[in-house]
């Protein structure tokens, strides 16, 4: 159900989906090893989410939802993987990824929460869980006062007006429309947090 911290730290050549390192350049999901090697293209939206929203929400220790939407092929899954990697590797914050939805998911998340005495990031991609199901999971976690920031990652459908969750259901909304930048142009986010 959930891939906790150990799956983020394994530097093997396999991705949870079974793709080999290097397949990212052929259209497959990025692996953790490729993220560690910074093989993904830097995106300004990653900085916006990490520096302006997610990290401050994690410090608040209260349940929050952040939505990341983009057109199919815009890189939302890669951006979410980069955010998960950075939150874990740079800021040492626990991260869990929903990879299967079913009975017992909330219990699995609660067991994960019990391992850490702090807030954590929960990534919910629409490939694995619908927006409505993610909303129900979040409401159950919120009712139990779980200090979680849920990053809801989705693709826009053909209708530009489609919105899987009404604006009142998320605290922050981001849409992939940004330009690429050079990694040398990155500000030091860690100094922002201290």
């Amino acid at each position: 159900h959930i891939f906790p911290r150990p799956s983020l730290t394994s530097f093997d050549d396999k991705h949870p989906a079974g793709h080999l390192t290097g397949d990212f350049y052929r259209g497959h999901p990025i692996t953790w090893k490729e993220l560690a090697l910074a093989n993904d293209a830097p995106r300004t939206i990653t900085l916006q989410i990490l520096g302006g929203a997610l990290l401050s929400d994690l410090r608040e220790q209260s349940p929050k939802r952040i939505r990341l939407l983009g057109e199919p092929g815009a890189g939302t899954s890669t951006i979410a993987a980069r955010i998960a990697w950075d939150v874990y590797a740079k800021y040492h914050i626990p991260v869990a990824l929903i990879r299967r939805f079913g009975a017992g998911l909330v219990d699995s998340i609660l067991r994960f929460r019990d391992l850490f005495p702090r807030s954590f990031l929960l990534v919910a991609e629409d490939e694995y869980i619908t927006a409505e199901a993610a909303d129900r999971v979040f409401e159950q976690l919120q009712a139990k006062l779980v200090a979680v920031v849920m990053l809801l990652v989705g693709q826009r459908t053909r209708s530009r007006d489609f919105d899987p969750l009404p604006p009142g259901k998320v605290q922050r909304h981001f849409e992939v429309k940004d330009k690429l930048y050079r990694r040398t142009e990155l500000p030091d986010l860690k100094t922002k947090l201290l």
Side-chain angles (χ1 to χ4, degrees), residues 5-194:
R5 181 176 165 159
S7 71
L8 291 177
T9 59
S10 62
F11 286 94
D12 60 5
D13 287 340
K14 297 281 185 182
H15 182 274
H19 299 289
L20 297 175
T21 300
D23 283 349
F24 173 62
Y25 294 121
R26 291 186 281 283
H28 291 283
I30 195 162
T31 64
W32 300 122
K33 183 175 184 177
E34 289 167 327
L35 286 164
L37 296 172
N39 288 351
D40 56 321
R43 307 290 293 265
T44 55
I45 195 164
T46 305
L47 289 176
Q48 292 169 346
I49 293 171
L50 278 172
L54 191 133
L55 294 171
S56 64
D57 288 346
L58 285 163
R59 280 193 308 267
E60 287 181 21
Q61 299 282 322
S62 62
K64 301 275 187 189
R65 278 180 281 209
I66 298 173
R67 177 177 41 204
L68 173 63
L69 287 177
E71 299 293 329
T76 53
S77 293
T78 302
I79 292 167
R82 166 54 60 198
I83 290 168
W85 178 261
D86 286 354
V87 164
Y88 166 72
K90 291 182 181 177
Y91 306 107
H92 310 291
I93 295 171
V95 174
L97 310 168
I98 296 176
R99 288 294 184 246
R100 191 176 27 220
F101 176 69
L105 176 61
V106 172
D107 290 334
S108 294
I109 295 169
L110 292 174
R111 283 192 303 278
F112 180 81
R113 183 259 335 248
D114 291 343
L115 297 173
F116 307 99
R118 59 187 301 183
S119 62
F120 63 94
L121 174 63
L122 179 62
V123 180
E125 290 189 67
D126 66 356
E127 178 180 348
Y128 303 105
I129 185 170
T130 66
E132 295 80 15
D135 188 43
R136 287 192 306 273
V137 167
F138 180 82
E139 287 174 355
Q140 290 177 48
L141 296 173
Q142 189 175 34
K144 295 180 184 297
L145 301 175
V146 175
V148 62
V149 174
M150 181 183 274
L151 178 61
L152 300 161
V153 183
Q155 295 182 354
R156 286 210 173 274
T157 60
R158 291 184 196 115
S159 168
R160 304 271 311 144
D161 298 328
F162 175 75
D163 197 353
L165 290 175
K169 292 277 190 174
V170 295
Q171 283 73 34
R172 302 179 196 274
H173 173 87
F174 296 89
E175 193 160 348
V176 178
K177 301 180 199 174
D178 67 332
K179 62 177 182 162
L180 299 178
Y181 59 89
R182 290 188 178 104
R183 198 158 292 282
T184 56
E185 298 170 351
L186 287 173
D188 184 7
L189 288 177
K190 202 160 201 163
T191 58
K192 270 182 139 178
L193 296 173
L194 301 177

